[in-house]
Amino acid sequence: MSTGWIVLGVIVVLVFLAFSAYNRLVALSQRVGQAFADIDVQLKQRHDLVPNLVETVKGYASHERGTLDDVIKARNSAMSAQGPAQVSAAENQLSGALGRLIALSEAYPDLKANANFQQLASELSDLENKIAASRRFFNNAVQEYNTGIQQMPAALFAGMFGFTRKDFFDLGASRTEVEAAPQVKF
């Protein structure tokens, strides 16, 4: 066998490995994008729920203006955030503000007994559970993608094709607050 055939065989194998790695990384990247879109849908529902919740609370606790303003400000900040890192930071602030808003119901028995408030708080609790599940799915997809670009033979081609590490949906320092909030009691 001549040297030319050996070189050609090595080139064919490298091209095959490059195409296989590229296709696998594209599939993993698409999965990460889909997982983030799922989170975005849940967050949009939460953003839509917040004004109704604030209006309901405002009727019973209008002098709690600081808390209500914090919720609206955090909601607006969360709606304008872009990318996983910025979105997760903004959503952490919104979760904290919503937790404080829900906690107001303890000080206002009429608010706590209001059927509209109970329904909104229940919807918020349900959305928080869905967001947590979507966040776990997203972080799992990011972990698989990041592992994929570091494993051989994809590691040889990932940088060449522009695949870089993706950020997790990190809860940061407020992890315990987000995982515990909001608690809804009837």
Side-chain angles (χ1 to χ4, degrees):
M1 186 184 278
S2 72
T3 306
W5 285 108
I6 293 173
V7 171
L8 182 62
V10 169
I11 290 172
V12 168
V13 168
L14 286 175
V15 168
F16 176 76
L17 289 175
F19 278 116
S20 294
Y22 179 81
N23 289 336
R24 183 169 183 271
L25 293 177
V26 166
L28 290 172
S29 180
Q30 291 293 321
R31 187 168 175 210
V32 169
Q34 177 190 3
F36 191 72
D38 290 345
I39 290 175
D40 203 37
V41 167
Q42 302 298 327
L43 294 177
K44 172 86 170 86
Q45 289 179 347
R46 180 164 75 166
H47 297 163
D48 292 344
L49 181 69
V50 167
N52 293 333
L53 190 58
V54 167
E55 284 300 316
T56 301
V57 172
K58 195 183 292 183
Y60 290 90
S62 60
H63 57 283
E64 299 283 352
R65 192 79 202 157
T67 303
L68 299 173
D69 288 344
D70 287 348
V71 171
I72 294 300
K73 184 177 170 185
R75 176 188 177 258
N76 292 339
S77 175
M79 289 180 68
S80 64
Q82 300 291 318
Q86 200 178 47
V87 168
S88 67
E91 291 299 329
N92 289 341
Q93 288 180 342
L94 180 58
S95 293
L98 285 173
R100 289 189 296 277
L101 183 70
I102 295 296
L104 282 179
S105 67
E106 296 297 325
Y108 300 94
D110 290 342
L111 171 63
K112 191 174 181 180
N114 179 282
N116 192 25
F117 178 77
Q118 288 179 355
Q119 179 186 354
L120 291 170
S122 176
E123 287 178 34
L124 181 63
S125 178
D126 186 45
L127 278 172
E128 293 296 331
N129 290 333
K130 289 177 180 176
I131 291 169
S134 296
R135 192 172 38 234
R136 281 192 301 272
F137 182 72
F138 173 78
N139 285 339
N140 185 43
V142 169
Q143 185 268 329
E144 287 181 22
Y145 170 82
N146 287 341
T147 301
I149 64 171
Q150 294 174 349
Q151 288 180 329
M152 295 298 280
L156 297 173
F157 308 106
M160 190 178 353
F161 293 135
F163 291 99
T164 57
R165 280 184 62 81
K166 294 192 185 278
D167 294 329
F168 288 97
F169 200 99
D170 188 21
L171 296 177
S174 61
R175 176 179 297 274
T176 54
E177 182 180 319
V178 170
E179 288 176 349
Q183 289 190 356
V184 178
K185 296 177 183 175
F186 298 105

